[in-house]
Amino acid sequence: MGVFTVLTRCIMQPLSVVDDELVPKVRMTFITLEDAGKFYRNYAKAAGFSTRVRCTNRKGNEIKNQLITCSREGKWKSKIYPTEKTNPTAGVNCPARIYIHTLKDVGAWIISKVVLDHSHPCCPSKAEMLKQHRELSMSIRRTIENNDKAGIRPSKTYQSFVAAAGGHRELNFIEKDVRNYITREVRNVSEQEDAKKFGKYFLRMKEKNPNFFFELELEEDQSIKLAFWADARSRAAFEYFGDVISFDTTYNTNRYNLVCGSFVGVNHHGQSTLLGCSLMKNEEIESFKWLFQCWLRCMGGNAPKGFLTDQCASMKRALEACMPTTVHRWCIWHIMKKIPSKLNGYKGHADIEQEMSHVVWNSHSKDSFDRNWNDFLLNFSLADNKWLSDLYEDRHIWVPIYLDHHFWAGMRSTQRSESMHSFFNKYITRNSSLIQFVKQYDNCLGSREQSERESDAADFHTVIPCATKSSIEAQFQDAYTHAKFREVQAQFRGKANCITRLKNSALGYSVYEVVEQVSSSIFNKFAVTYDSVAAEVKCQCLLFESRGILCRHALSVLSFEQVSQVSPRYIVERWSKKVKRRHTHIKSSHDEPLMEPRSKRFDQLVFRSQNICEFASESEELTAILHRAYDNTMTEMEALKAKRKGTSSLSHEDANLESVNELQSPPRIRTRGCPKNRLGSKLEKQIANATKKKKTQVLSEVKVMFFKFCYIQINLFDAASAAHSNCSQYQGHVINYQFKVPAAGDNSLGV
């Protein structure tokens, strides 16, 4: 009785009436086949079902007739019984359909046959959820495309549509449609086309700006092995910020598992700036050699003074070969991060980690580091640890005291490169195409450029007040960018914790001891020298040498010497806000979307209409004027569109890019299909044999009894529902269910 109850509830519900003007009738005529199909779709939406084109007959390239049916026409049958975990099926052999054919003499289309009866219940209130009646307008599609480029998730995009419309019911699409549009239309790039689009992108960028640089290394089968590119702005910025470079690689940025490598520098605001990007098939020495040589060619053959990487042996050997004069530095953050995993097996490993960090960061001379390191190994019995022994052998490329006499622009790790990679990871996945990757790289370039422009504007229009009365602080205030001046102010504040003592002085050359109180019980001592003749100050902490910022110890000595102005050598031009830098006049590379002409026209119209709508919204009178103008314009456009319906031609005299883009592909030639006596595979035969064995006589008898019961109940119901035929939504046509009662031994489901 459960099945009967469900069927009864479906059929006994009141049926809404469809307006007679929407109901298709025999001998209805239409100008075009599209108009006929649209008319039937509108009727289907009002009646509560969806349609599909069942077959189309042609004579040559001309369509002669077409059969449009209910989407639930046909019946799916499983070859395996019983079916398990199958997708839901809609086919119930619904007979509803219309048949359309062309009128030869008139050139119009006429409905020659109409069947309104359905073999299933229809519900107009649920029709909007059917796929055919869900649609994305041009405005919705453009918003989805722009949001996807900006990295906004599909769920957030859909929620913005819901908020703007005033609820889910006000939209004629669902979130799945937004996701499908992104997957199928926006991000759908085949692997065959991906590399071509990748190469065409480089050519377009090169055409827009000849200073755009790229190189590709290909395999024998012409597949991409190595790729490097840098835009014109990055190449110009290298002139000012290419002295220190951080390079790091990351994974899972594309569907081909190519390794992404980025060259990152530091600008005058202390911000990260991109100076080139690469994709590599592997991380072998030869690959890094090719990449570094390519990058040097891109930057005019000028090697940086400092280069930061992680502990990659291949990188180290490639750098030694390509940039022998460049100081190579390992990322200290990566090394210190490995301490727990490398020393976890030792007793008291937490104390070991703390003591090692103290030795690395608080050794203020090479000799003191060597002594402290040996004491550290002896105290914790770590002299035989190979990892620590190897680190000590390579101390000249990772320990701060061995490297801080070189300028590093404040960088000691590759975290700047990793922050760029984290930016990429917000918008790309391991399934992203190459063209998606380069477009997101463009977005990253644009984001970095905008941050620099905003900081430049803030430096030009505003001033950070001095925290003290020191004329030296005012000197830095006038010269440095806001970000760097704040670092200087931090040193001026730290000067309050320093006590300066003169150790000895002769012929204008003085040696000071500056004691800095770090905490209530910890005091650090620093040796500072001052040459009054050369106006030169040097501190043991090497902050100025490594970061270009005068330290608090040196400032304490200058105050003790009553120096009012520092030498120009301590006003580092790299941090100056007064330098006119060439790269600021160059836009970062940005690929203009290759939109269809209709999309371009739509964007232009929307852009112009925004100003009109903003002006008209000021009052009801202005709004009414705009509404009247819209109505008149719409009437005029519909009349023009109706006149232009029909065939058209395109000759070479009036052909242009837009007109060619609007040409449609010829219709596909319909094949005869596969023969009915197709030879099945071995697996199919095994499945068929197994299926036959599972069919038992007991099961057949149960099915026969079930369908006989359904047949009797439905016939009784049809008789009882005849009284309601006048209020049917199909203009007097009642939904009829016709079940075929299977004969004994027949296990097929016939509806």
Side-chain angles (χ1 to χ4, degrees):
M1 292 299 293
V3 176
F4 174 72
T5 304
V6 173
L7 293 174
T8 302
R9 288 177 179 173
C10 291
I11 301 173
M12 290 294 289
Q13 61 184 340
L15 301 175
S16 60
V17 178
V18 179
D19 191 345
D20 188 62
E21 294 181 355
L22 297 177
V23 179
K25 302 178 181 65
V26 176
R27 303 194 66 80
M28 275 187 171
T29 58
F30 303 91
I31 297 176
T32 64
L33 180 62
E34 290 76 16
D35 291 341
K38 184 178 180 181
F39 177 83
Y40 193 45
R41 287 194 299 272
N42 291 337
Y43 162 72
K45 186 175 183 179
F49 68 99
S50 59
T51 67
R52 67 177 178 182
V53 177
R54 183 66 178 84
C55 65
T56 303
N57 295 324
R58 291 181 173 86
K59 186 176 182 180
N61 291 330
E62 295 184 2
I63 298 177
K64 292 300 181 182
N65 52 64
Q66 190 172 86
L67 174 63
I68 307 177
T69 67
C70 173
S71 61
R72 303 194 69 176
E73 183 266 345
K75 182 66 178 179
W76 177 84
K77 295 182 181 180
S78 174
K79 293 182 179 180
I80 304 175
Y81 184 83
T83 56
E84 296 180 357
K85 297 182 179 179
T86 59
N87 292 328
T89 177
V92 290
N93 283 334
C94 182
R97 63 192 61 204
I98 64 171
Y99 185 78
I100 314 167
H101 70 269
T102 183
L103 295 174
K104 297 181 181 179
D105 300 333
V106 182
W109 294 81
I110 187 170
I111 298 179
S112 59
K113 184 179 179 180
V114 178
V115 178
L116 299 179
D117 293 343
H118 291 263
S119 62
H120 57 88
C122 298
C123 183
S125 63
K126 292 183 174 61
E128 62 184 12
M129 303 303 293
L130 295 173
K131 185 177 180 180
Q132 184 183 63
H133 304 312
R134 305 195 309 259
E135 61 177 351
L136 301 175
S137 65
M138 176 70 75
S139 175
I140 295 295
R141 293 198 301 270
R142 295 296 297 133
T143 302
I144 293 173
E145 292 168 7
N146 292 332
N147 285 4
D148 184 68
K149 292 176 184 176
I152 299 174
R153 296 193 302 272
S155 59
K156 296 295 183 182
T157 298
Y158 179 71
Q159 289 301 323
S160 69
F161 293 141
V162 173
H168 291 268
R169 289 180 176 269
E170 306 303 321
L171 295 177
N172 57 349
F173 58 92
I174 60 178
E175 184 176 341
K176 185 178 180 181
D177 297 324
V178 176
R179 296 183 180 277
N180 288 343
Y181 182 75
I182 293 173
T183 302
R184 297 172 184 173
E185 304 295 336
V186 180
R187 300 179 182 174
N188 185 24
V189 181
S190 65
E191 293 188 7
Q192 292 78 10
E193 293 295 323
D194 194 15
K196 296 178 183 177
K197 290 186 176 182
F198 187 64
K200 290 178 181 178
Y201 161 84
F202 289 145
L203 294 176
R204 287 195 303 272
M205 295 297 99
K206 186 74 173 177
E207 184 178 357
K208 289 178 66 174
N209 193 322
N211 287 329
F212 184 91
F213 183 96
F214 74 94
E215 281 193 20
L216 301 175
E217 178 81 355
L218 306 179
E219 299 280 16
E220 292 182 358
D221 61 354
Q222 300 301 300
S223 62
I224 297 174
K225 180 181 179 182
L226 298 163
F228 169 78
W229 68 98
D231 71 327
R233 192 176 195 275
S234 298
R235 298 181 72 185
F238 178 83
E239 178 183 348
Y240 307 98
F241 313 128
D243 47 0
V244 182
I245 300 297
S246 170
F247 178 81
D248 191 33
T249 56
T250 188
Y251 305 87
N252 298 330
T253 60
N254 55 82
R255 64 177 66 157
Y256 312 100
N257 294 321
L258 295 177
V259 181
C260 169
S262 58
F263 297 84
V264 180
V266 180
N267 67 9
H268 51 303
H269 300 288
Q271 301 166 342
S272 299
T273 182
L274 284 163
L275 300 175
C277 189
S278 65
L279 291 172
M280 301 183 293
K281 199 170 184 178
N282 55 58
E283 292 186 278
E284 297 175 356
I285 297 175
E286 294 303 318
S287 297
F288 283 120
K289 281 185 178 180
W290 179 92
L291 176 60
F292 294 152
Q293 290 170 356
C294 183
W295 184 73
L296 286 174
R297 287 195 300 273
C298 172
M299 301 305 173
N302 300 315
K305 297 178 181 178
F307 206 95
L308 284 91
T309 68
D310 59 12
Q311 281 180 283
C312 177
S314 299
M315 282 188 206
K316 185 173 182 292
R317 293 181 62 180
L319 275 172
E320 291 171 353
C322 300
M323 308 179 203
T325 60
T326 298
V327 180
H328 182 203
R329 183 172 192 164
W330 277 347
C331 173
I332 192 171
W333 181 80
H334 280 101
I335 294 174
M336 303 304 287
K337 188 179 179 182
K338 292 179 181 178
I339 295 176
S341 61
K342 296 291 186 179
L343 305 178
N344 195 30
Y346 290 89
K347 184 179 179 181
H349 60 84
D351 295 332
I352 294 175
E353 181 178 353
Q354 183 178 359
E355 182 62 23
M356 181 175 171
S357 298
H358 179 77
V359 170
V360 170
W361 293 111
N362 294 313
S363 297
H364 300 299
S365 67
K366 296 178 183 179
D367 292 337
S368 65
F369 173 81
D370 293 338
R371 289 194 304 270
N372 295 337
W373 183 268
N374 291 328
D375 293 341
F376 160 69
L377 296 180
L378 291 174
N379 292 337
F380 292 96
S381 302
L382 297 171
D384 296 331
N385 186 282
K386 187 177 185 306
W387 182 68
L388 292 175
S389 299
D390 292 340
L391 280 181
Y392 184 74
E393 291 296 322
D394 294 322
R395 61 191 181 280
H396 61 283
I397 59 175
W398 70 276
V399 177
I401 194 60
Y402 282 86
L403 293 159
D404 282 351
H405 56 284
H406 298 288
F407 180 72
W408 294 102
M411 289 195 291
R412 285 177 173 172
S413 71
T414 59
Q415 286 183 319
R416 288 184 180 270
S417 298
E418 292 173 8
S419 66
M420 294 295 101
H421 297 158
S422 66
F423 182 92
F424 293 152
N425 293 334
K426 292 178 182 178
Y427 309 112
I428 57 178
T429 66
R430 64 179 62 193
N431 296 320
S432 298
S433 62
L434 295 178
I435 192 64
Q436 281 179 257
F437 179 85
V438 294
K439 287 183 178 179
Q440 292 304 332
Y441 181 77
D442 281 352
N443 289 341
C444 191
L445 286 174
S447 174
R448 296 293 88 203
E449 177 190 3
Q450 182 63 19
S451 296
E452 184 175 325
R453 291 178 65 245
E454 291 174 2
S455 298
D456 284 342
D459 290 341
F460 183 80
H461 293 290
T462 61
V463 176
I464 296 178
C466 291
T468 67
K469 300 296 183 179
S470 170
S471 58
I472 296 179
E473 184 185 2
Q475 196 176 358
F476 285 110
Q477 178 198 43
D478 180 65
Y480 277 12
T481 61
H482 286 0
K484 289 302 164 181
F485 179 58
R486 287 192 177 96
E487 293 184 27
V488 172
Q489 285 189 318
Q491 298 302 317
F492 270 94
R493 288 193 295 271
K495 191 178 68 169
N497 298 321
C498 297
I499 300 174
T500 305
R501 297 171 183 167
L502 179 63
K503 301 293 290 184
N504 57 69
S505 179
L507 301 176
Y509 185 84
S510 304
V511 178
Y512 289 88
E513 181 185 71
V514 178
V515 180
E516 180 184 5
Q517 184 176 3
V518 179
S519 65
S520 58
S521 59
I522 299 176
F523 295 84
N524 291 333
K525 297 180 180 180
F526 297 90
V528 181
T529 62
Y530 177 70
D531 187 343
S532 60
V533 178
E536 185 178 42
V537 61
K538 287 186 178 181
C539 180
Q540 186 182 11
C541 73
L542 300 175
L543 183 70
F544 178 76
E545 286 76 7
S546 63
R547 294 179 58 182
I549 300 293
L550 269 181
C551 65
R552 48 195 172 275
H553 320 116
L555 292 173
S556 297
V557 170
L558 292 176
S559 296
F560 191 89
E561 291 280 346
Q562 297 183 351
V563 176
S564 60
Q565 295 286 312
V566 296
S567 171
R569 70 166 67 96
Y570 298 111
I571 307 295
V572 181
E573 188 179 76
R574 200 185 192 286
W575 307 135
S576 175
K577 61 183 177 183
K578 296 184 177 182
V579 176
K580 303 298 181 182
R581 296 175 174 88
R582 185 168 58 92
H583 76 281
T584 58
H585 303 288
I586 304 174
K587 289 184 179 181
S588 61
S589 66
H590 185 75
D591 190 21
E592 295 180 359
L594 301 176
M595 295 188 298
E596 296 179 354
R598 183 180 180 185
S599 298
K600 289 184 178 180
R601 292 193 294 266
F602 177 83
D603 287 352
Q604 292 170 356
L605 290 170
V606 169
F607 181 76
R608 293 197 64 184
S609 64
Q610 287 176 348
N611 294 332
I612 299 174
C613 293
E614 184 178 354
F615 182 77
S617 63
E618 294 179 359
S619 67
E620 291 291 342
E621 293 79 5
L622 294 175
T623 302
I625 293 173
L626 184 58
H627 278 306
R628 288 195 297 270
Y630 277 149
D631 294 338
N632 296 334
T633 304
M634 193 67 185
T635 303
E636 184 179 351
M637 289 191 298
E638 288 176 346
L640 179 62
K641 188 175 181 180
K643 288 181 181 179
R644 291 188 173 182
K645 279 190 175 180
T647 60
S648 60
S649 62
L650 179 66
S651 63
H652 68 276
E653 287 86 357
D654 56 1
N656 52 46
L657 181 60
E658 180 173 331
S659 60
V660 171
N661 286 334
E662 290 181 340
L663 290 174
Q664 300 295 318
S665 300
R668 294 184 180 182
I669 300 174
R670 185 174 180 179
T671 60
R672 296 183 181 273
C674 60
K676 294 183 179 179
N677 59 345
R678 180 179 65 87
L679 296 177
S681 65
K682 183 178 180 181
L683 178 61
E684 289 176 327
K685 292 178 180 179
Q686 291 175 351
I687 293 174
N689 293 333
T691 302
K692 290 180 181 178
K693 293 179 181 179
K694 290 182 180 179
K695 294 179 180 179
T696 62
Q697 185 66 27
V698 177
L699 180 61
S700 299
E701 291 176 357
V702 172
K703 290 185 66 180
V704 169
M705 293 175 64
F706 172 74
F707 280 104
K708 283 183 178 180
F709 172 78
C710 290
Y711 178 75
I712 294 170
Q713 298 293 342
I714 296 300
N715 284 339
L716 290 173
F717 172 76
D718 285 343
S721 62
H724 299 279
S725 60
N726 293 331
C727 63
S728 172
Q729 68 185 66
Y730 304 108
Q731 302 298 314
H733 296 272
V734 181
I735 303 176
N736 293 319
Y737 287 80
Q738 297 180 355
F739 288 90
K740 180 180 73 175
V741 180
D746 185 2
N747 295 296
S748 62
L749 294 174
V751 179

